[in-house]
Amino acid sequence: MKELFWIFISASLVSNFTLALFLGLCPFLGVSGKVATAVRMGMANIFVLVITSLTVSALNTWVLPHAPYLQLISFIVVIASLVQIVEMAIKKLSPTLFRELGIFLPLITTNCAILGLALFQTNRGYGFMEGLVFALGGGVGLTLALVLMASIRETVELADVPSVARNMGLVLILAGSLSLAFMGFAGLFSS
Amino acid sequence: MSRRTTPQEDFIRGIWKENPVLVQLLGLCPTLAVTGTVDNALTMGIATFFVLLGSSVLVATFKSVIPKEVRISAYILVIATFVTIADNVLHAVVPEIHKSLGPFVPLIVVNCIILGRQEAFASKNTVGRATLDAIGTGFGFIITMMIMGSMRELLGNGTWLGYPLFGAHFEPWVIMVLPPGGFFTLGFILLGIAWWKGRTAVPVRPRRWPHGVTTEVGGSTS
């Protein structure tokens, strides 16, 4: 239990997917303009990450020991198809939820964070429960980074910024400062 | 492609005018994640170049066979095959660097630059043009990786490809080789480019009408 707790803390804060491992930068820079959108994007991310983690556990247990060279191809194909199926199911069962998450789901499938989670989970040899907690932690960390970034950008929007900095350059420097702040969480482990 | 382009333009375009990272802001994950040292950055650049070239040639060759409805999945499968080759070759040739790159070699699959070139160019043009385009874009990516890697290793470690350059009195900015340094380096490069473009562009002057003519939109009321 203590082990699982530390996996969660590590994935969400200390080695945050976006700010320390640079996974999932496209949504981080692309849809972090408004807090409301960022929250929904984060929720959709958590959802897909959990599905991915379950899929990868199953593949690692039953398929890949027999055909290790298929790792990359099977991860991509199986995750993409599963997300597609889940999307259709949600559309049928709960239109409200579909409106909340729907647009983002296909976009997220080709996001580095998803494949990154699959590869990290395999490389570190996480089992079923550990993988699930890792996915939840990573998703919470992504959401946290997205929402923080969106709040900062909403504020910056109203500030008097020189015209040179009215592009991605400023956003990246803000992300750097945020990343610097998250490095402080590494202190949790040294004591 | 609405406008006809010459083969030279296909080649040159990816290097500077439509540089995949600095202008189109694609493929940021590897650009920020593995540019802590020059040799990691160079290896990553070459691997991406190989995957881009291989999949562009293959997609351009088979463009009439691939059904339109499943083209994205087909591209991804082609790309994943080449990435598997690159991953195994790196593992055999440079095991040390392969280990330090970790999962970022398999992550080339989801690099938007490669899928973007297949969808936008290779699937609509001849094999020769697609090859030129892939080489140009690949070089553009390698150059960006080298710029990022050189800046971060020089400032963060005082070395270039492992050779110390600044002597014993240099105090390394450790932050540059850590994750925040990646964001800062790319951020300042983009700010520099924006400043350069703003400097050379002709400043916009308010339009002067001939004496005595008044306009409602322009606001000159005399």
Side-chain angles (χ1 to χ4, degrees), chain A residues 2-145:
Chain A
K2 205 176 159 206
E3 181 94 333
L4 293 180
F5 175 73
W6 281 116
I7 289 179
F8 183 84
I9 293 291
S10 161
S12 58
L13 296 177
V14 181
S15 54
N16 186 290
F17 269 29
T18 312
L19 296 170
L21 300 175
F22 301 109
L23 299 170
L25 280 180
C26 304
F28 181 65
L29 299 174
V31 285
S32 60
K34 287 207 172 66
V35 175
T37 328
V39 172
R40 280 159 63 183
M41 184 71 185
M43 292 300 149
N45 252 313
I46 296 180
F47 185 71
V48 179
L49 281 169
V50 168
I51 294 181
T52 306
S53 168
L54 299 178
T55 322
V56 169
S57 300
L59 280 174
N60 277 340
T61 318
W62 288 305
V63 181
L64 291 177
H66 307 292
Y69 50 87
L70 281 182
Q71 193 192 46
L72 197 50
I73 295 180
S74 65
F75 280 173
I76 291 213
V77 174
V78 174
I79 293 168
S81 349
L82 203 70
V83 171
Q84 205 77 54
I85 294 171
V86 171
E87 194 195 343
M88 287 181 218
I90 294 179
K91 195 176 183 179
K92 189 81 186 160
L93 297 175
S94 163
T96 330
L97 188 63
F98 180 75
R99 262 201 308 276
E100 287 289 310
L101 306 179
I103 327 154
F104 297 122
L105 285 181
L107 278 179
I108 292 169
T109 318
T110 50
N111 176 335
C112 334
I114 307 303
L115 191 61
L117 173 99
L119 293 165
F120 273 113
Q121 190 180 336
T122 315
N123 282 1
R124 296 181 186 177
Y126 285 158
F128 178 75
M129 269 316 281
E130 290 154 324
L132 201 58
V133 173
F134 184 54
L136 273 175
V140 169
L142 264 178
T143 314
L144 192 63

Side-chain angles (χ1 to χ4, degrees), chain B residues 19-99:
Chain B
N19 185 296
V21 180
L22 298 178
V23 179
Q24 304 187 38
L25 292 172
L26 295 175
L28 290 181
C29 304
T31 316
L32 293 170
V34 298
T35 47
T37 61
V38 175
D39 45 5
N40 279 2
L42 187 60
T43 315
M44 191 66 184
I46 292 172
T48 310
F49 180 89
F50 164 75
V51 175
L52 179 57
L53 183 59
S55 35
S56 271
V57 170
L58 209 64
V59 165
T61 312
F62 290 106
K63 60 178 177 290
S64 51
V65 188
I66 301 173
K68 212 169 166 36
E69 293 78 19
V70 292
R71 63 182 194 286
I72 301 286
S73 322
Y75 301 158
I76 294 254
L77 277 182
V78 170
I79 295 168
T81 314
F82 278 104
V83 171
T84 311
I85 298 172
D87 191 30
N88 285 334
V89 170
L90 285 183
H91 194 86
V93 179
V94 279
E96 300 275 302
I97 297 179
H98 180 265
K99 203 175 161 200

